[in-house]
Amino acid sequence: MSHHSASSIGVIGLGAMGLGTATALLDAGLAVIGCDISAQARETFASRGGRSVATPTELAAECDRVVVMVVNAEQVDAVLFGEQGLVGVMAPGSLILQCATVAPSYAQELGERLAQVNLLMLDAPVSGGVAKARSGELSVMSSGSEAAYAKGQAVLDAMAATVYRLGAEPGAGSSVKLVNQHLAGVHIAAAAEAMALGLRMGLDPDMLYEVIIHSAGNSWMFQNRVPHILKGDYTPLSAVDIFVKDLNIVHQAGRELQLSMPVASSALQQFTAASGAGLGREDDSAVIKVYQRLSAFDLPAANDSDGQG
């Protein structure tokens, strides 16, 4: 199936991160084909000048490098090995950049499965959020062979400000990403709990935010997420359910390693409670609503002007 035009770059998963990355690749002058089961996601990419298809199989015939930005390992498997998957259609020697947050053991196993069918893989989870995806300035925590890096260089250059090369085998990138997700989840939950404390004490939330971001208790997540709470705007940039998933992977890794992580477990319970309360699709900062429902304090209301009501 391989012919001379199989040099496009595919991006599978045109969600917030995938759409931003696909657009950044377009901006860099690369030939990009998007792929998403959602027609709306495909239309959004089209409005940015991108072309997209509905199935990985359609994409595979035209691409020799594919960025996979789906939600979990189950979706990664479907995209690669499912009925309409890439594997079996992509030309030998093509590259999969696997960017979803998955268990390190899964990433390792995936590398072996792809090697058996002569496909290269970079274990390449990303960090930096939606704005950095769009501007092509993500951090990529990656591992893989020299051949995989050589094949993926142009893609990495266009999507990332920093590419950490963490090892020669898939698994190392996902292991470092897991440490990041532990901290990200814990810091969001901690920021929510601390703001709940401040609100319960009757403090002005904007004043409190201003003091904390200039104090030792600040974190990147506090500074980034608390403004959503201050505006009363829980439109998801990253949803509560993402941290239910990622902190569960942290928890699973801890079980495999017999490493107790009570702080991560505590954060996981708060996100699980938020999801159980029907907040799973709201912004992850909505974990503060768990505290609010269990205690008597009011959260800042949304401005009626911004349509969030």
Side-chain angles (χ1 to χ4, degrees), residues 181-200:
Q181 293 316 91
H182 174 301
L183 291 166
V186 164
H187 287 170
I188 294 167
E193 186 167 292
M195 286 304 293
L197 174 63
L199 289 164
R200 186 69 184 80

Side-chain angles (χ1 to χ4, degrees), residues 177-187 243 246-247 250 261 263-264 267:
K177 172 67 172 179
L178 202 57
V179 175
N180 183 73
Q181 293 316 91
H182 174 301
L183 291 166
V186 164
H187 287 170
F243 279 100
D246 289 0
L247 287 169
V250 171
M261 289 182 280
V263 177

Side-chain angles (χ1 to χ4, degrees), residues 12 35 55-57 59-60 65-70 72-90 94-100 102 106-107 109-111 113-115 117 119-122:
I12 301 184
C35 177
T55 69
T57 302
L59 180 126
R65 290 152 293 171
V66 173
V67 178
V68 178
M69 280 205 172
V70 294
N72 55 27
E74 196 181 8
Q75 290 186 3
V76 174
D77 247 44
V79 157
L80 296 173
F81 303 100
E83 273 177 46
Q84 298 180 304
L86 295 172
V87 168
V89 185
M90 273 189 98
S94 295
L95 172 69
I96 307 293
L97 295 96
Q98 201 302 99
C99 301
V102 299
Y106 172 82
E109 179 201 341
L110 183 63
R113 285 161 77 194
L114 290 172
V117 290
L119 292 176
L120 299 167
M121 173 179 153
L122 283 177

Side-chain angles (χ1 to χ4, degrees), residues 43-307:
E43 281 159 27
T44 306
F45 188 47
S47 74
R48 297 183 175 190
R51 181 162 81 83
S52 53
V53 295
T55 69
T57 302
E58 292 170 76
L59 180 126
E62 298 188 60
C63 298
D64 64 347
R65 290 152 293 171
V66 173
V67 178
V68 178
M69 280 205 172
V70 294
V71 171
N72 55 27
E74 196 181 8
Q75 290 186 3
V76 174
D77 247 44
V79 157
L80 296 173
F81 303 100
E83 273 177 46
Q84 298 180 304
L86 295 172
V87 168
V89 185
M90 273 189 98
S94 295
L95 172 69
I96 307 293
L97 295 96
Q98 201 302 99
C99 301
T101 301
V102 299
S105 54
Y106 172 82
Q108 214 168 347
E109 179 201 341
L110 183 63
E112 290 162 14
R113 285 161 77 194
L114 290 172
Q116 284 166 5
V117 290
N118 293 317
L119 292 176
L120 299 167
M121 173 179 153
L122 283 177
D123 180 18
V126 299
S127 182
V130 178
K132 291 272 169 74
R134 174 64 192 85
S135 60
E137 296 176 305
L138 291 168
S139 291
V140 182
M141 304 164 207
S142 67
S143 58
S145 66
E146 283 296 336
Y149 278 109
K151 184 90 180 163
Q153 192 63 55
V155 182
L156 293 169
D157 287 347
M159 68 188 275
T162 317
V163 177
Y164 295 100
R165 293 180 61 157
L166 303 163
E169 299 292 327
S174 286
S175 295
V176 174
K177 172 67 172 179
L178 202 57
V179 175
N180 183 73
Q181 293 316 91
H182 174 301
L183 291 166
V186 164
H187 287 170
I188 294 167
E193 186 167 292
M195 286 304 293
L197 174 63
L199 289 164
R200 186 69 184 80
M201 292 191 296
L203 298 174
D204 173 275
D206 295 287
M207 177 272 302
L208 180 58
Y209 176 75
E210 190 57 31
V211 174
I212 296 299
I213 64 169
H214 294 103
S215 303
N218 188 35
S219 68
W220 192 95
M221 282 299 189
F222 185 97
Q223 192 158 350
N224 185 268
R225 296 305 204 267
V226 172
H228 305 171
I229 296 168
L230 300 177
K231 290 187 195 102
D233 183 356
Y234 298 93
T235 307
L237 293 177
S238 177
V240 163
D241 280 342
I242 295 287
F243 279 100
V244 175
K245 172 183 76 82
D246 289 0
L247 287 169
N248 263 307
I249 299 173
V250 171
H251 188 69
Q252 175 199 333
R255 278 206 312 268
E256 287 170 10
L257 300 164
Q258 294 183 299
L259 175 66
S260 163
M261 289 182 280
V263 177
S265 293
S266 186
L268 171 60
Q269 293 305 326
Q270 292 305 98
F271 284 108
T272 302
S275 192
L279 305 168
R281 305 301 298 271
E282 292 194 17
D283 188 74
D284 49 33
S285 60
V287 71
I288 195 170
K289 295 182 184 181
V290 174
Y291 295 93
Q292 188 240 338
R293 287 174 187 193
L294 295 173
S295 185
F297 66 88
D298 291 327
L299 289 170
N303 296 332
D304 293 331
S305 63
D306 67 7

